[in-house]
Amino acid sequence: MSEREEANKVFDLQSIKEQLLSDELWKESVCMQSTLGVSFISMLPDQLDKFIAYIVSIGEERSISNISDAKRRFTYWWQNHGRKEVQDENKQVYTVPN
């Protein structure tokens, strides 16, 4: 594979996850944006897996061309999909005794 082909090669999704998880500034920023605060850090690996699964499910895995694109798309996904799912899982159920 030539260098040019290598440069045009689509981002490997696992590599995206590793790069995002090693970016401390990005993680801080995502935690603040998440509205869940610091607890979001522990959820991040799982949320990135769900984000990647979502990207693959809509056939867009070839469309992420660089790490900043991945960051932008994750933020968009979190605001529109991830957050709702997490909030549903954390919903408190109150039962009124008869």
Side-chain angles (χ1 to χ4, degrees):
M1 190 180 289
S2 73
E3 277 184 50
R4 186 182 177 90
E5 285 172 323
E6 192 64 38
N8 290 337
K9 202 177 92 186
V10 181
F11 247 28
D12 164 33
L13 295 174
Q14 201 51 43
S15 140
I16 288 174
K17 179 182 176 184
E18 287 162 17
Q19 288 183 60
L20 291 178
L21 287 175
S22 65
D23 185 336
E24 296 301 324
L25 283 174
W26 178 76
K27 289 195 300 193
E28 281 177 29
S29 153
V30 169
C31 284
M32 286 188 267
Q33 291 171 18
S34 74
T35 69
L36 300 174
V38 178
S39 65
F40 190 64
I41 280 273
S42 61
M43 297 164 63
L44 199 49
D46 192 39
Q47 293 303 312
L48 283 168
D49 287 339
K50 289 178 180 179
F51 163 67
I52 289 168
Y54 168 77
I55 290 293
V56 171
S57 76
I58 61 171
E60 297 268 303
E61 67 271 20
R62 295 192 147 321
S63 71
I64 297 178
S65 53
N66 57 43
I67 203 71
S68 60
D69 189 33
K71 290 174 179 177
R72 181 181 57 75
R73 303 269 299 266
F74 176 82
T75 302
Y76 174 83
W77 170 83
W78 169 253
Q79 289 168 345
N80 293 285
H81 302 280
R83 178 187 293 153
K84 291 182 183 82
E85 191 183 308
V86 167
Q87 285 170 337
D88 287 347
E89 284 174 18
N90 292 337
K91 274 210 173 91
Q92 294 296 317
V93 179
Y94 298 102
T95 52
V96 180
N98 299 346

